[in-house]
Short mmCIF file of all heavy atoms in Angstrom, two decimals:
data_model
loop_
_atom_site.label_atom_id
_atom_site.label_comp_id
_atom_site.label_asym_id
_atom_site.label_seq_id
_atom_site.Cartn_x
_atom_site.Cartn_y
_atom_site.Cartn_z
N LEU A 2 -2.21 7.45 27.78
CA LEU A 2 -3.31 6.49 27.75
C LEU A 2 -4.19 6.85 26.55
O LEU A 2 -4.68 7.97 26.47
CB LEU A 2 -4.10 6.55 29.05
CG LEU A 2 -5.42 5.78 29.13
CD1 LEU A 2 -5.19 4.29 28.95
CD2 LEU A 2 -6.13 6.07 30.43
N GLY A 6 -13.31 3.85 21.19
CA GLY A 6 -14.55 3.09 21.24
C GLY A 6 -15.64 3.88 20.54
O GLY A 6 -15.44 5.02 20.12
N THR A 14 -16.17 9.32 30.85
CA THR A 14 -16.37 8.94 32.25
C THR A 14 -15.22 8.05 32.70
O THR A 14 -14.69 8.22 33.80
CB THR A 14 -17.71 8.20 32.41
OG1 THR A 14 -18.76 9.07 31.97
CG2 THR A 14 -17.95 7.80 33.84
N GLY A 20 -7.31 11.59 35.43
CA GLY A 20 -6.83 12.97 35.57
C GLY A 20 -5.81 13.34 34.51
O GLY A 20 -5.72 12.72 33.46
N GLU A 38 1.55 12.11 11.20
CA GLU A 38 2.65 11.75 12.11
C GLU A 38 2.91 12.89 13.10
O GLU A 38 3.06 12.67 14.29
CB GLU A 38 3.92 11.43 11.33
CG GLU A 38 3.86 10.15 10.53
CD GLU A 38 4.23 8.92 11.33
OE1 GLU A 38 4.68 9.05 12.48
OE2 GLU A 38 4.05 7.82 10.79
N TYR A 47 -0.17 14.59 25.58
CA TYR A 47 -1.25 14.59 26.57
C TYR A 47 -1.15 13.33 27.43
O TYR A 47 -0.57 12.33 27.02
CB TYR A 47 -2.62 14.62 25.89
CG TYR A 47 -2.99 15.97 25.33
CD1 TYR A 47 -2.54 16.38 24.08
CD2 TYR A 47 -3.77 16.86 26.06
CE1 TYR A 47 -2.87 17.62 23.56
CE2 TYR A 47 -4.11 18.10 25.55
CZ TYR A 47 -3.65 18.47 24.31
OH TYR A 47 -3.99 19.70 23.81
N ILE A 55 -14.97 5.58 14.32
CA ILE A 55 -15.98 5.95 13.32
C ILE A 55 -15.90 5.07 12.08
O ILE A 55 -16.59 5.30 11.11
CB ILE A 55 -15.84 7.44 12.92
CG1 ILE A 55 -14.46 7.73 12.35
CG2 ILE A 55 -16.17 8.34 14.08
CD1 ILE A 55 -14.32 9.12 11.77
N VAL A 60 -20.34 2.70 4.74
CA VAL A 60 -19.31 3.51 4.09
C VAL A 60 -19.99 4.71 3.43
O VAL A 60 -20.93 4.54 2.65
CB VAL A 60 -18.55 2.68 3.04
CG1 VAL A 60 -17.54 3.53 2.30
CG2 VAL A 60 -17.88 1.48 3.69
N ARG A 67 -15.25 9.72 3.23
CA ARG A 67 -14.46 8.49 3.26
C ARG A 67 -13.01 8.79 3.59
O ARG A 67 -12.36 8.09 4.38
CB ARG A 67 -14.54 7.75 1.91
CG ARG A 67 -15.87 7.08 1.67
CD ARG A 67 -15.81 6.08 0.53
NE ARG A 67 -15.29 6.62 -0.71
CZ ARG A 67 -16.01 7.25 -1.64
NH1 ARG A 67 -17.31 7.42 -1.46
NH2 ARG A 67 -15.44 7.68 -2.75
N ARG A 70 -12.63 9.53 7.30
CA ARG A 70 -12.64 8.30 8.09
C ARG A 70 -11.31 7.56 7.98
O ARG A 70 -10.81 7.02 8.95
CB ARG A 70 -13.77 7.37 7.65
CG ARG A 70 -15.11 7.79 8.16
CD ARG A 70 -16.10 6.70 7.94
NE ARG A 70 -17.42 7.13 8.38
CZ ARG A 70 -18.45 6.33 8.47
NH1 ARG A 70 -18.33 5.06 8.13
NH2 ARG A 70 -19.60 6.77 8.88
N ALA A 77 -5.57 6.93 14.63
CA ALA A 77 -5.76 6.01 15.76
C ALA A 77 -4.63 4.99 15.81
O ALA A 77 -4.11 4.67 16.89
CB ALA A 77 -7.11 5.32 15.67
N LEU A 80 -1.53 6.75 17.13
CA LEU A 80 -1.63 7.01 18.56
C LEU A 80 -1.46 5.73 19.37
O LEU A 80 -0.81 5.73 20.41
CB LEU A 80 -2.97 7.67 18.88
CG LEU A 80 -3.12 9.11 18.39
CD1 LEU A 80 -4.56 9.56 18.52
CD2 LEU A 80 -2.18 10.03 19.14
N ALA A 82 0.32 3.20 18.58
CA ALA A 82 1.73 2.86 18.55
C ALA A 82 2.52 3.68 19.57
O ALA A 82 3.49 3.19 20.16
CB ALA A 82 2.30 3.06 17.16
#
Side-chain angles (χ1 to χ4, degrees):
L2 170 62
T14 301
E38 291 274 353
Y47 284 84
I55 59 172
V60 176
R67 287 194 307 273
R70 283 192 182 189
L80 290 169

